[in-house]
Amino acid sequence: MDRLAEIKVKAEGTIFEEFVSSQVENYKRQKQKELKKANINNKWIDHADALFNLFAQISEEVKPQIEPFVARVEFVDNRESDGAVMLTVANFKDETFSLRCADLHTMEDYAKLEDDAFVETLDEAQEEGGVQFFFDPDELVETVAHSRIFKEDDPFAALKQVIEPHLVELLKRTFDIAALLEKKT
């Protein structure tokens, strides 16, 4: 910004002052738009990642509790490929069920950040990321905003409380008492 001021000063009192001044102001506005886009993009990603990490910790804590009742349980991190993580459980019939945690903002939302007019409508301070939990793509069970969890003294406990009913539902979908008895004998 100091360099921009220097450029304006050099043009002061010359026939180029108005033109240079408008170019400097245009440049500043463009850089501010780019910074706003980047800040919102990073905020969404950072917020979702923080929640993904908590879900991973919760999954690791819950895995040993589920393992006695199922054939297999694993945490799968697909953040890079599809912006989601999941706790996947397989029953003794080799059927798998997952509690999936995906970025609240879709690839389309991130693509919209390339549109200056769209970005101008956003309030950077109000924007936040989050995640959605679902069993199937058409079975959304919970939307969790970053602020809902991280305003609490213990974000881990806060998210755990929110998703525990869904973890119980995951076990219910997988649980097969007859197969479990057969497997244990």
Side-chain angles (χ1 to χ4, degrees), residues 11-24:
E12 282 180 9
T14 71
I15 60 173
F16 307 111
E17 181 175 2
E18 186 178 323
F19 171 75
V20 170
S21 181
S22 73
Q23 291 300 305
V24 166

Side-chain angles (χ1 to χ4, degrees), residues 12 25 28 70 84 130 184:
E12 282 180 9
E25 293 308 312
K28 282 182 184 178
V70 297
K184 292 294 177 182

Side-chain angles (χ1 to χ4, degrees), residues 36-46 110 113:
K36 183 178 180 181
K37 286 178 190 182
N39 287 344
I40 292 170
N41 181 76
N42 292 340
K43 193 181 223 184
W44 288 355
I45 290 170
D46 291 346
Y110 285 99
L113 291 177

Side-chain angles (χ1 to χ4, degrees), residues 4 66 71 91 163 176 181:
L4 292 175
I66 296 176
N91 64 17
I163 67 170
D176 181 344
L181 287 171

Side-chain angles (χ1 to χ4, degrees), residues 106-126:
T106 64
M107 296 307 275
E108 291 81 26
D109 293 336
Y110 285 99
K112 285 180 190 175
L113 291 177
E114 296 304 315
D115 178 3
D116 288 346
F118 173 74
V119 172
E120 284 180 26
T121 68
L122 301 177
D123 180 349
E124 186 178 335
Q126 296 298 316

Side-chain angles (χ1 to χ4, degrees), residues 16-124:
F16 307 111
E17 181 175 2
E18 186 178 323
F19 171 75
V20 170
S21 181
S22 73
Q23 291 300 305
V24 166
E25 293 308 312
N26 288 342
Y27 182 83
K28 282 182 184 178
R29 276 192 299 279
Q30 184 59 38
K31 288 300 172 187
Q32 287 169 340
K33 284 180 194 176
E34 290 172 12
L35 181 61
K36 183 178 180 181
K37 286 178 190 182
N39 287 344
I40 292 170
N41 181 76
N42 292 340
K43 193 181 223 184
W44 288 355
I45 290 170
D46 291 346
H47 285 180
D49 270 346
L51 290 162
F52 285 153
N53 291 337
L54 283 179
F55 181 58
Q57 291 172 16
I58 292 166
S59 295
E60 290 305 316
E61 181 181 279
V62 170
K63 275 173 60 174
Q65 298 171 39
I66 296 176
E67 284 173 337
F69 307 108
V70 297
R72 186 179 75 255
V73 59
E74 67 180 320
F75 179 78
V76 179
D77 190 334
N78 289 334
R79 282 182 242 201
E80 294 300 318
S81 60
D82 66 359
V85 296
M86 65 188 93
L87 183 62
T88 300
V89 180
N91 64 17
F92 295 106
K93 296 177 184 173
D94 218 22
E95 299 169 314
T96 60
F97 302 89
S98 297
L99 177 58
R100 188 175 165 92
C101 177
D103 191 334
L104 173 65
H105 295 285
T106 64
M107 296 307 275
E108 291 81 26
D109 293 336
Y110 285 99
K112 285 180 190 175
L113 291 177
E114 296 304 315
D115 178 3
D116 288 346
F118 173 74
V119 172
E120 284 180 26
T121 68
L122 301 177
D123 180 349
E124 186 178 335

